[in-house]
Amino acid sequence: MAATIHDVAKLAGVNSSTVSRVLNGKATITGETKEKIYAAMKRLDYHPNSVARSLASGLSGAIGVVVDAQDAEAFSNVFFSRSLFAIEQVAQARGYNVIITNGGKQAARAIETLMLERKVDSLILPPSTIKPSLLAKIGDFPYVVLGQPDSAKLSASWVDNNNEQGAELAVQHLLGKGYQGIAYLGGNQGADFVKRRVKGYQSALPRGAEPLVLPTDGTPEDAQRAAAAALQTKAPPGAFVCNDNLAAFGLLKAAKALGIAVPRELGVVTFDNYPLAEYTDPPLTAVDIDTALLGEQTAQLLFQRLERKTANQQILLETALIPRESSDRM
Amino acid sequence: MAATIHDVAKLAGVNSSTVSRVLNGKATITGETKEKIYAAMKRLDYHPNSVARSLASGLSGAIGVVVDAQDAEAFSNVFFSRSLFAIEQVAQARGYNVIITNGGKQAARAIETLMLERKVDSLILPPSTIKPSLLAKIGDFPYVVLGQPDSAKLSASWVDNNNEQGAELAVQHLLGKGYQGIAYLGGNQGADFVKRRVKGYQSALPRGAEPLVLPTDGTPEDAQRAAAAALQTKAPPGAFVCNDNLAAFGLLKAAKALGIAVPRELGVVTFDNYPLAEYTDPPLTAVDIDTALLGEQTAQLLFQRLERKTANQQILLETALIPRESSDRM
DNA sequence: TTCAGTCATGCAATCGATTGCGTAAAGAAA
DNA sequence: TTTCTTTACGCAATCGATTGCATGACTGAA
């Protein structure tokens, strides 16, 4: 079987506690002794059993990432997986492992399992789980929220993109290009991040401009329908900020069907810069949400809290606008 | 602190080993005793410490998933994250947790950490890790490969989509629609799954038809260039099978630029049915790779091996063709 | 009534580390 | 040289379960 700390100790002619100490750098050990121990570890191909280590130390060296996927789609979305990648990178660099679990309807149970049974050292949670009932169970267990939670009243550490600022950026960009009559297309109006985007959109409109928000059910078809309807009114919008790429797809189709030229007659900016945004016709100007950075910052914040016991902290990441043809009237 | 098995035992007036036995259903316990123990567990909100359990039993109740991401992109790809979701679903249903780690260049180290230190019960590995050097270290540790490994000589359990069959399906579909001169566009010719697709493509061509394979660097731009070049030869292809959506995007652009009508003058079928494939102009006929099923089957196979110690097994999943406009000449 | 054979449960070792306490040896101070 | 600190390391308890062995109680057969 695999060599244990005792095998190493015996071979090196020392006590296992000494081996443990060199393993953890926790005490002053003679160079000579260290050498013997290192040699023994190498000869036996010793790998410390992290399970035993966890039990003894109370630290598991693992973090739990809970995702909130109603269905396979949400889990698979690019947003999440890039963030997850970044989180794992940071964790791996610090010698931590990442346990993922899909919360969904059973988020409470998933979180309890991770905390109470699996004994992870810390959690990354989705905003949807941040409710008083769950928070009570979590107590002062260290966690960071990946995304801005709904209730501003609850104190928590979180990291999110600045959706409000992103929407402002989009509107300002369109205004700068000379577009007028800017509408907002798409998005489930119930979702909190959509509300923030709409808020930013509204606040960036010039004085006197009437906001026009066209919610959709999320499909491009519905976006196409909504956009087509708006474009055929007496005073059609001169530009759209789209809540996501699918909405932008629907919009482009509607414009094409109506013979409206983008970007000459209609400006389009979309949230999210997915791989294909750049290959539409015309290529879409996009508010880039840096999901990798989001994950990285979340993990960094988590380890900061874990290692230095810092206070709660909220981080809003600035978004950037990537100009492409769909809004390039000049 | 959290209640332990001893607290439960004391409150129920029994020995901790009895509690352990009802917990694991490993012996005949009186109904009355069980009741007392359940009551005590409930009163104390007892959650078994899976770390201690692992140490004692030698089973961690965790599986490790290694992914091979050269960069953030690979990790984030829809392919992977859907599979991961499915894997986690299956694992959760069986009370297992999933530990993910990005192998990359250090895959060997990652695997060793998972096996030897973290003590996962089983592994899901990417085909790229299935090399003799690594296999020697893995020994008879149970693992399943998510994807068909390069070397057919090595015995292993794996699950993959039938790429060869998928390509045949695409060619047959195009032939059935009356297209002639079918070319294959895109894909890194070094990748093994691409080779399998090309093989299927070639074998499905009618006798005497000359295969034409146009490799690209993976970008739509390169696909556009390659497609445009081919379309301007004396005997241009009448249809394309594209290795992925990005290649198909490039192709559509090239056709549009050259004034070639799809699907009337040119048929297009693409591998992968990503969310946007359906929203291109025209919508793309696609060979659907069911990544969720892929993950699910992989996990199922893993638990089968784990619980019933079955022999190695290879599973090839049939792909399906989703007809859309891009190949609908009739 | 006795004896063998379950049944239900307790005892204590064990898994592989960590860590507080104790101590011999070495070095410093007097 | 004696005494006082450090330094380097060993001893043994501990973390919270699991599990082989032992045993008393009970059941049924002879």
Side-chain angles (χ1 to χ4, degrees):
Chain A
M1 286 289 107
T4 71
I5 199 172
H6 301 290
D7 302 326
V8 172
K10 189 182 294 178
L11 183 59
V14 300
N15 187 277
S16 62
S17 57
T18 303
V19 177
S20 172
R21 287 191 255 263
V22 336
L23 221 44
N24 297 290
K26 282 227 175 162
T28 48
I29 307 282
T30 306
E32 192 188 4
T33 307
K34 276 190 191 171
E35 292 308 319
K36 283 190 301 187
I37 291 175
Y38 284 132
M41 295 198 308
K42 176 150 288 182
R43 261 199 57 196
L44 296 173
D45 189 27
Y46 171 70
H47 290 262
N49 181 327
S50 79
V51 173
R53 198 196 279 242
S54 297
L55 182 58
S57 70
L59 262 30
S60 67
I63 66 175
V65 177
V66 177
V67 298
D68 183 20
Q70 307 300 348
D71 55 7
E73 214 47 55
F75 202 110
S76 76
N77 89 30
V78 181
F79 170 82
F80 171 70
S81 51
R82 281 214 194 142
S83 296
L84 179 60
F85 172 77
I87 290 169
E88 205 276 335
Q89 288 280 95
V90 174
Q92 191 172 124
R94 298 194 182 240
Y96 279 74
N97 278 112
V98 174
I99 300 180
I100 57 154
T101 126
N102 173 19
K105 282 290 164 208
Q106 317 251 39
R109 172 121 74 222
I111 292 173
E112 283 195 329
T113 300
L114 253 24
M115 281 175 49
L116 274 20
E117 302 185 9
R118 194 58 67 175
K119 301 285 180 184
V120 298
D121 293 334
S122 183
L123 285 168
I124 290 181
L125 301 175
S128 59
T129 59
I130 306 306
K131 295 172 296 190
S133 60
L134 245 176
L135 251 29
K137 296 204 171 204
I138 295 177
D140 58 354
F141 189 86
Y143 69 95
V144 175
V145 187
L146 179 56
Q148 185 173 351
D150 295 10
S151 170
K153 284 179 226 151
L154 302 167
S155 163
S157 278
W158 52 258
V159 181
D160 202 353
N161 291 106
N162 195 334
N163 283 296
E164 201 171 325
Q165 176 256 347
E168 289 171 4
L169 214 54
V171 172
Q172 284 159 7
H173 168 80
L174 287 167
L175 290 173
K177 290 287 181 179
Y179 291 102
Q180 292 183 338
I182 302 173
Y184 192 94
L185 176 68
N188 172 350
Q189 299 298 314
D192 229 63
F193 74 96
V194 175
K195 284 185 194 152
R196 294 192 196 102
R197 289 179 181 181
V198 168
K199 186 173 166 203
Y201 153 76
Q202 289 173 332
S203 75
L205 289 179
R207 298 205 165 280
E210 195 62 32
L212 174 63
V213 177
L214 305 173
T216 69
D217 63 11
T219 65
E221 287 79 8
D222 199 41
Q224 182 175 356
R225 182 201 52 70
L231 287 169
Q232 292 177 85
T233 57
K234 289 185 301 268
F240 281 91
V241 175
C242 298
N243 187 69
D244 53 55
N245 288 5
L246 293 184
F249 261 61
L251 170 58
L252 290 182
K253 265 200 172 167
K256 179 173 293 181
L258 294 170
I260 299 175
V262 176
R264 197 164 49 76
E265 300 173 277
L266 184 70
V268 179
V269 177
T270 181
F271 267 91
D272 301 344
N273 181 34
Y274 287 177
L276 297 181
E278 155 170 25
Y279 305 116
T280 53
D281 177 29
L284 288 164
T285 295
V287 175
D288 189 22
I289 298 292
D290 192 339
T291 52
L293 181 62
L294 189 60
E296 189 201 313
Q297 293 283 324
T298 304
Q300 297 287 11
L301 182 52
L302 180 147
F303 285 113
Q304 212 179 93
R305 293 210 59 196
L306 216 49
E307 291 167 6
R308 294 203 285 281
K309 314 257 178 214
T310 57
N312 274 332
Q313 206 172 127
Q314 292 82 35
I315 299 179
L316 270 181
L317 301 173
E318 297 265 305
T319 61
L321 187 133
I322 301 185
R324 296 207 185 88
E325 250 184 81
S326 70
S327 64
D328 193 17
R329 166 134 82 172
M330 322 267 174
Chain B
M1 286 293 106
T4 72
I5 199 172
H6 302 291
D7 302 326
V8 172
K10 189 182 293 178
L11 184 58
V14 300
N15 188 277
S16 62
S17 57
T18 303
V19 177
S20 173
R21 286 190 255 262
V22 336
L23 222 45
N24 297 291
K26 282 229 175 159
T28 46
I29 307 282
T30 306
E32 191 188 5
T33 307
K34 275 190 192 170
E35 292 308 318
K36 284 190 301 186
I37 291 175
Y38 284 133
M41 294 197 309
K42 176 150 288 181
R43 261 200 56 197
L44 296 173
D45 189 28
Y46 171 69
H47 290 261
N49 181 328
S50 80
V51 173
R53 198 196 279 243
S54 298
L55 182 58
S57 71
L59 263 29
S60 67
I63 66 174
V65 177
V66 177
V67 298
D68 183 21
Q70 309 299 349
D71 55 8
E73 215 46 55
F75 202 111
S76 76
N77 88 30
V78 181
F79 170 83
F80 171 71
S81 51
R82 281 213 194 141
S83 297
L84 179 60
F85 172 77
I87 291 169
E88 205 277 334
Q89 288 281 96
V90 175
Q92 192 173 122
R94 297 194 182 241
Y96 279 74
N97 278 112
V98 174
I99 300 181
I100 57 155
T101 125
N102 172 20
K105 281 291 164 206
Q106 318 250 38
R109 171 122 73 222
I111 292 173
E112 283 195 331
T113 300
L114 253 24
M115 281 176 50
L116 275 18
E117 302 184 8
R118 193 59 66 176
K119 301 287 181 184
V120 297
D121 293 335
S122 182
L123 285 169
I124 291 181
L125 301 175
S128 59
T129 58
I130 305 307
K131 294 172 295 189
S133 59
L134 244 176
L135 251 30
K137 296 203 169 203
I138 295 178
D140 59 354
F141 189 86
Y143 68 96
V144 175
V145 187
L146 179 56
Q148 185 173 352
D150 295 10
S151 171
K153 284 179 228 153
L154 303 166
S155 164
S157 278
W158 53 259
V159 181
D160 202 354
N161 291 105
N162 195 332
N163 283 296
E164 202 171 325
Q165 176 256 349
E168 289 171 4
L169 214 54
V171 172
Q172 284 160 5
H173 169 81
L174 287 167
L175 290 173
K177 290 287 181 178
Y179 291 102
Q180 292 183 338
I182 302 174
Y184 192 94
L185 176 68
N188 172 351
Q189 299 299 314
D192 230 64
F193 74 96
V194 175
K195 284 184 192 152
R196 296 193 194 100
R197 289 178 182 181
V198 168
K199 187 172 166 204
Y201 153 75
Q202 289 172 333
S203 76
L205 288 179
R207 298 204 166 282
E210 194 61 34
L212 174 64
V213 177
L214 306 173
T216 69
D217 63 11
T219 64
E221 287 79 9
D222 198 43
Q224 180 174 357
R225 182 200 53 68
L231 287 169
Q232 292 177 87
T233 58
K234 289 185 300 268
F240 281 91
V241 175
C242 298
N243 187 67
D244 53 55
N245 288 6
L246 293 184
F249 261 61
L251 170 59
L252 290 182
K253 264 199 172 167
K256 177 172 294 180
L258 294 170
I260 299 174
V262 176
R264 197 164 50 76
E265 300 172 278
L266 184 71
V268 179
V269 176
T270 180
F271 268 91
D272 301 344
N273 181 34
Y274 287 178
L276 298 181
E278 154 171 27
Y279 305 117
T280 53
D281 178 28
L284 288 164
T285 294
V287 176
D288 189 22
I289 299 293
D290 192 339
T291 51
L293 181 63
L294 189 59
E296 189 200 313
Q297 293 283 323
T298 304
Q300 298 286 12
L301 183 51
L302 179 146
F303 285 112
Q304 212 177 93
R305 294 210 60 197
L306 216 50
E307 290 166 7
R308 293 203 285 280
K309 313 260 179 213
T310 58
N312 274 332
Q313 205 173 127
Q314 292 83 33
I315 299 180
L316 270 182
L317 301 173
E318 296 265 304
T319 61
L321 187 133
I322 301 185
R324 297 207 184 87
E325 251 184 81
S326 71
S327 63
D328 192 17
R329 167 134 82 171
M330 322 264 177

